[in-house]
mmCIF file of all heavy atoms in Angstrom:
data_model
loop_
_atom_site.group_PDB
_atom_site.id
_atom_site.type_symbol
_atom_site.label_atom_id
_atom_site.label_comp_id
_atom_site.label_asym_id
_atom_site.label_seq_id
_atom_site.Cartn_x
_atom_site.Cartn_y
_atom_site.Cartn_z
ATOM 1 N N VAL B 1 -6.453 0.486 0.526
ATOM 2 C CA VAL B 1 -7.701 -0.293 0.191
ATOM 3 C C VAL B 1 -8.284 0.261 -1.095
ATOM 4 O O VAL B 1 -8.665 -0.535 -1.970
ATOM 5 C CB VAL B 1 -8.691 -0.086 1.374
ATOM 6 C CG1 VAL B 1 -10.072 -0.636 1.021
ATOM 7 C CG2 VAL B 1 -8.216 -0.806 2.619
ATOM 8 N N ARG B 2 -8.347 1.597 -1.262
ATOM 9 C CA ARG B 2 -8.910 2.165 -2.479
ATOM 10 C C ARG B 2 -8.099 1.788 -3.723
ATOM 11 O O ARG B 2 -8.639 1.352 -4.719
ATOM 12 C CB ARG B 2 -8.952 3.686 -2.331
ATOM 13 C CG ARG B 2 -9.477 4.432 -3.599
ATOM 14 C CD ARG B 2 -9.432 5.925 -3.406
ATOM 15 N NE ARG B 2 -8.166 6.448 -3.084
ATOM 16 C CZ ARG B 2 -7.088 6.670 -3.893
ATOM 17 N NH1 ARG B 2 -7.209 6.224 -5.165
ATOM 18 N NH2 ARG B 2 -5.985 7.197 -3.521
ATOM 19 N N GLU B 3 -6.784 1.991 -3.670
ATOM 20 C CA GLU B 3 -5.924 1.701 -4.798
ATOM 21 C C GLU B 3 -5.942 0.212 -5.193
ATOM 22 O O GLU B 3 -5.881 -0.147 -6.382
ATOM 23 C CB GLU B 3 -4.478 2.177 -4.576
ATOM 24 C CG GLU B 3 -4.318 3.637 -4.595
ATOM 25 C CD GLU B 3 -4.360 4.242 -6.001
ATOM 26 O OE1 GLU B 3 -4.330 3.459 -7.020
ATOM 27 O OE2 GLU B 3 -4.407 5.476 -6.112
ATOM 28 N N THR B 4 -5.999 -0.674 -4.210
ATOM 29 C CA THR B 4 -6.085 -2.092 -4.511
ATOM 30 C C THR B 4 -7.288 -2.415 -5.302
ATOM 31 O O THR B 4 -7.209 -3.180 -6.303
ATOM 32 C CB THR B 4 -6.023 -2.903 -3.195
ATOM 33 O OG1 THR B 4 -4.808 -2.679 -2.509
ATOM 34 C CG2 THR B 4 -6.214 -4.358 -3.450
ATOM 35 N N GLY B 5 -8.450 -1.848 -4.921
ATOM 36 C CA GLY B 5 -9.703 -2.108 -5.679
ATOM 37 C C GLY B 5 -9.558 -1.534 -7.093
ATOM 38 O O GLY B 5 -9.982 -2.180 -8.053
ATOM 39 N N GLU B 6 -9.012 -0.302 -7.179
ATOM 40 C CA GLU B 6 -8.910 0.327 -8.454
ATOM 41 C C GLU B 6 -7.929 -0.325 -9.425
ATOM 42 O O GLU B 6 -8.230 -0.460 -10.587
ATOM 43 C CB GLU B 6 -8.490 1.781 -8.267
ATOM 44 C CG GLU B 6 -9.541 2.702 -7.645
ATOM 45 C CD GLU B 6 -9.018 4.084 -7.356
ATOM 46 O OE1 GLU B 6 -7.863 4.443 -7.752
ATOM 47 O OE2 GLU B 6 -9.794 4.869 -6.736
ATOM 48 N N GLU B 7 -6.816 -0.802 -8.884
ATOM 49 C CA GLU B 7 -5.733 -1.348 -9.794
ATOM 50 C C GLU B 7 -5.857 -2.829 -10.042
ATOM 51 O O GLU B 7 -5.517 -3.258 -11.098
ATOM 52 C CB GLU B 7 -4.384 -1.088 -9.154
ATOM 53 C CG GLU B 7 -3.959 0.362 -9.248
ATOM 54 C CD GLU B 7 -2.464 0.576 -9.113
ATOM 55 O OE1 GLU B 7 -1.714 -0.403 -9.059
ATOM 56 O OE2 GLU B 7 -2.075 1.707 -9.057
ATOM 57 N N ILE B 8 -6.276 -3.656 -9.076
ATOM 58 C CA ILE B 8 -6.303 -5.051 -9.317
ATOM 59 C C ILE B 8 -7.681 -5.708 -9.036
ATOM 60 O O ILE B 8 -7.794 -6.883 -9.107
ATOM 61 C CB ILE B 8 -5.153 -5.837 -8.599
ATOM 62 C CG1 ILE B 8 -5.248 -5.611 -7.088
ATOM 63 C CG2 ILE B 8 -3.820 -5.364 -9.123
ATOM 64 C CD1 ILE B 8 -4.228 -6.403 -6.296
ATOM 65 N N GLY B 9 -8.675 -4.905 -8.637
ATOM 66 C CA GLY B 9 -10.016 -5.396 -8.521
ATOM 67 C C GLY B 9 -10.330 -6.398 -7.409
ATOM 68 O O GLY B 9 -11.253 -7.139 -7.470
ATOM 69 N N ILE B 10 -9.486 -6.376 -6.368
ATOM 70 C CA ILE B 10 -9.792 -7.202 -5.221
ATOM 71 C C ILE B 10 -10.116 -6.324 -4.035
ATOM 72 O O ILE B 10 -9.826 -5.125 -3.987
ATOM 73 C CB ILE B 10 -8.621 -8.178 -4.878
ATOM 74 C CG1 ILE B 10 -7.385 -7.368 -4.430
ATOM 75 C CG2 ILE B 10 -8.283 -9.073 -6.039
ATOM 76 C CD1 ILE B 10 -6.261 -8.224 -3.843
ATOM 77 N N ALA B 11 -10.731 -6.945 -3.030
ATOM 78 C CA ALA B 11 -11.061 -6.268 -1.790
ATOM 79 C C ALA B 11 -10.155 -6.733 -0.695
ATOM 80 O O ALA B 11 -10.004 -7.943 -0.492
ATOM 81 C CB ALA B 11 -12.519 -6.501 -1.440
ATOM 82 N N ILE B 12 -9.591 -5.773 0.042
ATOM 83 C CA ILE B 12 -8.748 -6.080 1.220
ATOM 84 C C ILE B 12 -9.354 -5.333 2.435
ATOM 85 O O ILE B 12 -9.979 -4.310 2.242
ATOM 86 C CB ILE B 12 -7.323 -5.755 1.033
ATOM 87 C CG1 ILE B 12 -7.090 -4.274 0.782
ATOM 88 C CG2 ILE B 12 -6.705 -6.567 -0.090
ATOM 89 C CD1 ILE B 12 -5.614 -3.833 0.816
ATOM 90 N N ASP B 13 -9.112 -5.913 3.570
ATOM 91 C CA ASP B 13 -9.555 -5.293 4.829
ATOM 92 C C ASP B 13 -8.331 -4.628 5.401
ATOM 93 O O ASP B 13 -7.292 -5.203 5.588
ATOM 94 C CB ASP B 13 -10.037 -6.396 5.771
ATOM 95 C CG ASP B 13 -10.526 -5.887 7.123
ATOM 96 O OD1 ASP B 13 -10.316 -4.718 7.432
ATOM 97 O OD2 ASP B 13 -11.161 -6.696 7.841
ATOM 98 N N ALA B 14 -8.449 -3.306 5.692
ATOM 99 C CA ALA B 14 -7.304 -2.558 6.260
ATOM 100 C C ALA B 14 -6.761 -3.221 7.503
ATOM 101 O O ALA B 14 -5.594 -3.118 7.763
ATOM 102 C CB ALA B 14 -7.754 -1.118 6.549
ATOM 103 N N ALA B 15 -7.637 -3.862 8.301
ATOM 104 C CA ALA B 15 -7.175 -4.547 9.500
ATOM 105 C C ALA B 15 -6.259 -5.702 9.231
ATOM 106 O O ALA B 15 -5.518 -6.165 10.093
ATOM 107 C CB ALA B 15 -8.383 -4.974 10.338
ATOM 108 N N GLU B 16 -6.325 -6.237 7.989
ATOM 109 C CA GLU B 16 -5.464 -7.346 7.580
ATOM 110 C C GLU B 16 -4.141 -6.944 7.026
ATOM 111 O O GLU B 16 -3.238 -7.775 6.795
ATOM 112 C CB GLU B 16 -6.175 -8.181 6.544
ATOM 113 C CG GLU B 16 -7.443 -8.872 7.003
ATOM 114 C CD GLU B 16 -7.153 -10.071 7.912
ATOM 115 O OE1 GLU B 16 -6.173 -10.807 7.703
ATOM 116 O OE2 GLU B 16 -7.981 -10.328 8.776
ATOM 117 N N ALA B 17 -3.945 -5.634 6.843
ATOM 118 C CA ALA B 17 -2.704 -5.118 6.158
ATOM 119 C C ALA B 17 -1.621 -4.983 7.345
ATOM 120 O O ALA B 17 -1.895 -4.371 8.349
ATOM 121 C CB ALA B 17 -2.972 -3.776 5.511
ATOM 122 N N ARG B 18 -0.465 -5.507 7.052
ATOM 123 C CA ARG B 18 0.643 -5.450 8.019
ATOM 124 C C ARG B 18 1.712 -4.551 7.414
ATOM 125 O O ARG B 18 2.171 -4.727 6.263
ATOM 126 C CB ARG B 18 1.198 -6.864 8.228
ATOM 127 C CG ARG B 18 2.338 -6.872 9.316
ATOM 128 C CD ARG B 18 2.909 -8.246 9.446
ATOM 129 N NE ARG B 18 3.743 -8.658 8.278
ATOM 130 C CZ ARG B 18 4.963 -8.324 8.101
ATOM 131 N NH1 ARG B 18 5.568 -7.542 8.910
ATOM 132 N NH2 ARG B 18 5.589 -8.744 7.034
ATOM 133 N N PHE B 19 2.139 -3.524 8.193
ATOM 134 C CA PHE B 19 3.242 -2.653 7.781
ATOM 135 C C PHE B 19 4.449 -3.544 7.477
ATOM 136 O O PHE B 19 4.801 -4.384 8.278
ATOM 137 C CB PHE B 19 3.540 -1.627 8.829
ATOM 138 C CG PHE B 19 4.818 -0.849 8.500
ATOM 139 C CD1 PHE B 19 4.800 0.126 7.529
ATOM 140 C CD2 PHE B 19 6.009 -1.142 9.150
ATOM 141 C CE1 PHE B 19 5.951 0.805 7.251
ATOM 142 C CE2 PHE B 19 7.157 -0.450 8.887
ATOM 143 C CZ PHE B 19 7.107 0.533 7.894
ATOM 144 N N ALA B 20 5.080 -3.299 6.334
ATOM 145 C CA ALA B 20 6.210 -4.190 5.949
ATOM 146 C C ALA B 20 7.515 -3.395 5.741
ATOM 147 O O ALA B 20 8.583 -3.934 6.171
ATOM 148 C CB ALA B 20 5.838 -4.919 4.622
ATOM 149 N N HIS B 21 7.431 -2.208 5.165
ATOM 150 C CA HIS B 21 8.685 -1.457 4.939
ATOM 151 C C HIS B 21 8.365 0.007 4.589
ATOM 152 O O HIS B 21 7.300 0.259 3.970
ATOM 153 C CB HIS B 21 9.472 -2.108 3.783
ATOM 154 C CG HIS B 21 10.843 -1.553 3.673
ATOM 155 N ND1 HIS B 21 11.903 -1.893 4.498
ATOM 156 C CD2 HIS B 21 11.389 -0.615 2.826
ATOM 157 C CE1 HIS B 21 12.980 -1.241 4.167
ATOM 158 N NE2 HIS B 21 12.689 -0.401 3.124
ATOM 159 N N LEU B 22 9.299 0.879 4.900
ATOM 160 C CA LEU B 22 9.182 2.304 4.497
ATOM 161 C C LEU B 22 10.486 2.695 3.827
ATOM 162 O O LEU B 22 11.559 2.488 4.355
ATOM 163 C CB LEU B 22 8.957 3.179 5.706
ATOM 164 C CG LEU B 22 8.917 4.666 5.414
ATOM 165 C CD1 LEU B 22 7.586 5.074 4.803
ATOM 166 C CD2 LEU B 22 9.190 5.493 6.661
ATOM 167 N N VAL B 23 10.367 3.262 2.601
ATOM 168 C CA VAL B 23 11.490 3.811 1.918
ATOM 169 C C VAL B 23 11.313 5.288 1.825
ATOM 170 O O VAL B 23 10.341 5.813 1.294
ATOM 171 C CB VAL B 23 11.637 3.269 0.460
ATOM 172 C CG1 VAL B 23 12.846 3.907 -0.199
ATOM 173 C CG2 VAL B 23 11.752 1.797 0.447
ATOM 174 N N HIS B 24 12.212 6.027 2.477
ATOM 175 C CA HIS B 24 12.235 7.523 2.351
ATOM 176 C C HIS B 24 13.188 7.818 1.197
ATOM 177 O O HIS B 24 14.374 7.644 1.352
ATOM 178 C CB HIS B 24 12.662 8.122 3.665
ATOM 179 C CG HIS B 24 12.492 9.631 3.679
ATOM 180 N ND1 HIS B 24 13.206 10.423 4.520
ATOM 181 C CD2 HIS B 24 11.704 10.459 2.973
ATOM 182 C CE1 HIS B 24 12.869 11.698 4.342
ATOM 183 N NE2 HIS B 24 11.974 11.711 3.368
ATOM 184 N N HIS B 25 12.628 8.209 0.080
ATOM 185 C CA HIS B 25 13.466 8.370 -1.080
ATOM 186 C C HIS B 25 13.239 9.672 -1.789
ATOM 187 O O HIS B 25 12.278 10.385 -1.524
ATOM 188 C CB HIS B 25 13.330 7.155 -2.026
ATOM 189 C CG HIS B 25 11.998 7.059 -2.688
ATOM 190 N ND1 HIS B 25 11.819 7.255 -4.032
ATOM 191 C CD2 HIS B 25 10.804 6.755 -2.195
ATOM 192 C CE1 HIS B 25 10.537 7.043 -4.371
ATOM 193 N NE2 HIS B 25 9.885 6.738 -3.241
ATOM 194 N N TYR B 26 14.262 10.032 -2.588
ATOM 195 C CA TYR B 26 14.178 11.239 -3.385
ATOM 196 C C TYR B 26 14.173 10.799 -4.841
ATOM 197 O O TYR B 26 15.196 10.321 -5.367
ATOM 198 C CB TYR B 26 15.345 12.162 -3.042
ATOM 199 C CG TYR B 26 15.116 13.574 -3.629
ATOM 200 C CD1 TYR B 26 14.494 14.501 -2.813
ATOM 201 C CD2 TYR B 26 15.426 13.950 -4.899
ATOM 202 C CE1 TYR B 26 14.248 15.790 -3.258
ATOM 203 C CE2 TYR B 26 15.172 15.172 -5.371
ATOM 204 C CZ TYR B 26 14.587 16.141 -4.577
ATOM 205 O OH TYR B 26 14.360 17.399 -5.000
ATOM 206 N N THR B 27 13.054 10.974 -5.548
ATOM 207 C CA THR B 27 12.937 10.721 -6.941
ATOM 208 C C THR B 27 12.190 11.870 -7.531
ATOM 209 O O THR B 27 10.996 11.963 -7.526
ATOM 210 C CB THR B 27 12.078 9.407 -7.187
ATOM 211 O OG1 THR B 27 12.654 8.337 -6.432
ATOM 212 C CG2 THR B 27 12.072 9.037 -8.621
#
């Protein structure tokens, strides 16, 4: 929610966010 507002200036509701994918990576 915080990063969305900071990066693209829109408001999202955390309750509307659906988990989509997890990448466990080494970079």
Side-chain angles (χ1 to χ4, degrees):
V1 171
R2 177 183 54 77
E3 286 285 350
T4 297
E6 289 175 7
E7 287 200 7
I8 60 174
I10 65 170
I12 61 171
D13 181 348
E16 295 285 328
R18 183 184 71 81
F19 171 76
H21 190 77
L22 176 78
V23 179
H24 189 202
H25 66 113
Y26 196 91
T27 308

